[in-house]
Amino acid sequence: MTWRMVGTIDTILLSWLISGNPYTGLKIGFAEVVTKMLLYYVHERIWYNIRAGVTKKGDSKKRHIVKSLTWRIIGTVDTIILAWIISGDPLVGLQVGGAEVVTKMILYYFHERAWYKLDYGLENRRSKNLKN
């Protein structure tokens, strides 16, 4: 939920700046709320079950980087398609998607690291990994 708020605000601002229309920015940003929450949930479930980069101390920074990259690919394709459909202009879709590649990867990495430090929801995984 917290990432979706950060991501939606970023998408609204980028879409507004690129399209020149705040209403288009809002439509693109809010359309993404539904698609991104579903896609993000599926992405998280897959990564929860992948052991690559999991150590006895927890998840490695490399794991977080790879996870960020895979999410960004999925998220960017979703944004390009939505921005194109909503704006009616494929160039707007590509520009919004291209701009958010940079902003979202940076924002997501720091968001992920902050949540990891909170240890929220990781108890079961850590105890499971220590038993193996």
Side-chain angles (χ1 to χ4, degrees):
M1 296 294 283
T2 57
W3 167 247
R4 190 66 262 136
M5 287 186 284
V6 171
T8 298
I9 291 167
D10 183 55
T11 298
I12 290 169
L13 293 174
L14 288 173
S15 299
W16 176 5
L17 290 170
I18 291 167
S19 72
N21 184 335
Y23 185 62
T24 298
L26 286 169
K27 287 195 296 187
I28 294 168
F30 288 121
E32 275 195 346
V33 170
V34 175
T35 59
K36 290 289 194 304
M37 286 182 78
L38 176 63
L39 291 170
Y40 187 75
Y41 176 79
V42 170
H43 185 260
E44 283 294 311
R45 298 301 348 143
I46 291 168
W47 274 95
Y48 180 82
N49 291 312
I50 294 174
R51 295 189 50 81
V54 175
T55 67
K56 289 184 179 183
K57 295 180 182 179
D59 293 358
S60 68
K61 288 184 181 181
K62 286 180 186 177
R63 177 180 169 85
H64 288 292
I65 290 170
V66 173
K67 185 177 172 186
S68 297
L69 290 171
T70 59
W71 170 246
R72 185 58 356 236
I73 291 166
I74 293 166
T76 298
V77 169
D78 181 56
T79 298
I80 290 169
I81 292 168
L82 287 174
W84 177 358
I85 290 169
I86 291 169
S87 72
D89 185 347
L91 188 58
V92 168
L94 289 170
Q95 288 175 327
V96 172
E100 80 163 22
V101 165
V102 175
T103 60
K104 292 272 191 334
M105 277 201 323
I106 293 167
L107 290 169
Y108 182 79
Y109 176 80
F110 287 111
H111 178 270
E112 182 70 11
R113 294 300 300 161
W115 269 101
Y116 183 74
K117 288 180 186 215
L118 291 175
D119 232 8
Y120 182 78
L122 296 179
E123 286 180 36
N124 290 336
R125 183 169 64 181
R126 285 215 174 127
S127 62
K128 177 182 166 184
N129 288 338
L130 292 175
K131 290 178 185 177
N132 291 331

